[in-house]
Amino acid sequence: MLPWKRVVRPLAALLLAAAVATVPAATAHASTAPSSGWNDYSCKPSSSHPRPVVLVHGTLGNSVDNWLSLAPYLKDRGYCVFSLDYGQLSGVPLFYGLGPIDKSAQQLSDYVDKVLSATGAAKADLVGHSQGGMMPRYYLKFLGGAAKVNALVGLAPDNHGTDLDGLTNLLPYFPGAEDLIKATTPGLADQIVGSDFLTKLNAGGDTVPGVHYTVIATKYDEVATPWRNQYLSGSDVHNVLLQNLCPLDLSEHVAIGLFDRIAFHEVANALDPARATDTTCASAFS
């Protein structure tokens, strides 16, 4: 075996390991954990919250573990809440969001149709973490989602790609490494800064008319880096840095999506701006 080939596979493994390290241990039990209180297809949206909320997990996440805190948080506030699994690779259980992102966006499209049919709502709101905050933009832009979605709220979304704290900058030094990642985990390759997928997604502007966009980022993000790549440009965009709301909040990439109630309060504001209240450090106790 050529010397560089001895390095390619460890580098690819390192990239995958860096992503895996951001997933809580509970993910290993994803398929057996119940989604208590959400994914109730008999739920009918109320007049105060007329749109169902669809939660979109991140890379290596799933429809349950990613939302063990946020789903009950929103349900307790009167929302009909749903979540899906997407981006499954053949032979890889439990860890999702690894398949080609354009195919994952089609899965999201089908799922939103299912939720709208069950609830009778005309539109849904989407809340996504990491890849789950970026992938829906493909659905909105290329798969007709803009007619079915009122708002997209992204928690640490890698809208303009990630360099994994500079790790992906090493790829050109190892011929074949990027091709290997594309072949084995295309969902990871699609998220690298400058990928063909992101070039297509962001060409001609970040947003589409008629959808309200919110991005909630943390400066301590170690996965979707640099964190400013998360921000969107457009006329109906609200970019928020978590530390501007609460300087004491130390949440990084995982925490902002899994259990940060300050971030959750800002999500609630984005879903119901007419009843929004200031998000502060005290929101951690609300």
Side-chain angles (χ1 to χ4, degrees), residues 127-203:
V127 178
H129 180 211
S130 192
Q131 180 190 161
M134 173 271 288
M135 175 270 280
R137 293 179 47 228
Y138 191 95
Y139 162 54
L140 299 176
K141 195 170 187 176
F142 299 111
L143 302 178
K148 302 173 184 179
V149 173
N150 169 71
L152 170 61
V153 184
L155 291 158
D158 51 345
N159 282 311
H160 293 277
T162 177
D163 64 7
L164 278 177
D165 273 336
L167 187 61
T168 62
N169 296 330
L170 299 175
L171 289 173
Y173 296 98
F174 300 98
E178 191 164 356
D179 289 340
L180 178 63
I181 296 169
K182 287 179 180 178
T184 56
T185 53
L188 291 180
D190 284 345
Q191 295 177 75
I192 296 173
V193 170
S195 71
D196 291 343
F197 173 83
L198 288 168
T199 299
K200 177 180 178 179
L201 177 63
N202 293 314

Side-chain angles (χ1 to χ4, degrees), residues 251-262:
S251 290
E252 41 63 73
H253 186 79
V254 173
I256 193 174
L258 265 63
F259 52 76
D260 191 320
R261 291 177 70 92
I262 296 170

Side-chain angles (χ1 to χ4, degrees), residues 86-100 103-104 107 183-187:
Y86 69 86
Q88 300 93 332
L89 291 182
S90 178
V92 181
L94 306 178
F95 300 102
Y96 303 136
L98 293 171
K103 306 302 183 186
S104 295
Q107 292 177 349
T184 56
T185 53

Side-chain angles (χ1 to χ4, degrees), residues 7-200:
V7 182
V8 167
R9 290 188 180 276
L11 179 62
L14 182 60
L15 286 170
L16 182 57
V20 170
T22 69
V23 181
T27 302
H29 307 287
S31 64
T32 59
S35 54
S36 177
W38 77 95
N39 285 334
D40 175 6
Y41 290 92
S42 67
C43 185
K44 299 301 179 183
S46 66
S47 58
S48 57
H49 298 307
R51 293 176 298 275
V53 177
V54 175
L55 304 177
V56 190
H57 65 74
T59 307
L60 294 164
N62 60 75
S63 61
V64 176
D65 286 346
N66 213 139
W67 308 119
L68 288 173
S69 295
L70 182 56
Y73 180 95
L74 294 175
K75 183 178 180 298
D76 288 347
R77 283 155 180 77
Y79 289 93
C80 292
V81 181
F82 302 86
S83 61
L84 77 156
D85 288 317
Y86 69 86
Q88 300 93 332
L89 291 182
S90 178
V92 181
L94 306 178
F95 300 102
Y96 303 136
L98 293 171
I101 297 182
D102 58 345
K103 306 302 183 186
S104 295
Q106 182 60 58
Q107 292 177 349
L108 174 62
S109 175
D110 295 342
Y111 189 77
V112 170
D113 286 349
K114 177 181 176 180
V115 168
L116 293 181
S117 176
T119 60
K123 290 188 175 184
D125 289 324
L126 308 181
V127 178
H129 180 211
S130 192
Q131 180 190 161
M134 173 271 288
M135 175 270 280
R137 293 179 47 228
Y138 191 95
Y139 162 54
L140 299 176
K141 195 170 187 176
F142 299 111
L143 302 178
K148 302 173 184 179
V149 173
N150 169 71
L152 170 61
V153 184
L155 291 158
D158 51 345
N159 282 311
H160 293 277
T162 177
D163 64 7
L164 278 177
D165 273 336
L167 187 61
T168 62
N169 296 330
L170 299 175
L171 289 173
Y173 296 98
F174 300 98
E178 191 164 356
D179 289 340
L180 178 63
I181 296 169
K182 287 179 180 178
T184 56
T185 53
L188 291 180
D190 284 345
Q191 295 177 75
I192 296 173
V193 170
S195 71
D196 291 343
F197 173 83
L198 288 168
T199 299
K200 177 180 178 179

